[in-house]
Amino acid sequence: MTSISKTEMHMNSSDQRPNDSNIQQSAEDFTAGQANAHNIYDKNDTYSLGNRAKLEQKMEEKEKEPNWRDEYHRMNPTSIAEEHGNKPSSGARVDEELLREDEEMLRKKDERRR
């Protein structure tokens, strides 16, 4: 067999043809990747300046958006321990009592103003 006929044989083989289901990929497939695969502050990382700027902008936007879990835990200091099946610490219980007292005091002040 000549090298040309060997090449043609491999090209006509079924394992060399693309799978039709993989051809139509969404844009999300190309933006999705392994988390922390790149370190934008590593000088050996080969991000272009444009891609690095876009990534930094995404990181800043992510930091600005509120996280509902943080807000929930801030309003319920004992919730973290309870979610993990533990007894809340005495400090968390005191914080929860103080929050309740503050809410009651604010509600009373609002009622007085009306």
Side-chain angles (χ1 to χ4, degrees), residues 6-57:
K6 288 180 183 178
T7 305
E8 287 176 356
M9 182 179 69
H10 283 291
M11 289 179 70
N12 293 331
S13 177
S14 64
D15 63 342
Q16 296 295 318
R17 293 186 184 149
N19 188 355
D20 291 335
S21 64
N22 289 337
I23 291 175
Q24 296 177 353
Q25 294 178 336
S26 65
E28 293 176 6
D29 292 340
F30 296 105
T31 57
Q34 185 177 1
N36 300 325
H38 292 279
N39 181 1
I40 62 169
Y41 303 112
D42 184 10
K43 64 182 178 181
N44 294 330
D45 203 346
T46 57
Y47 265 126
S48 68
L49 290 176
N51 287 342
R52 190 174 301 209
K54 285 180 186 177
L55 183 63
E56 286 181 358
Q57 188 177 26

Side-chain angles (χ1 to χ4, degrees), residues 14 66 71 77 98:
S14 64
E71 292 295 323
L98 291 173

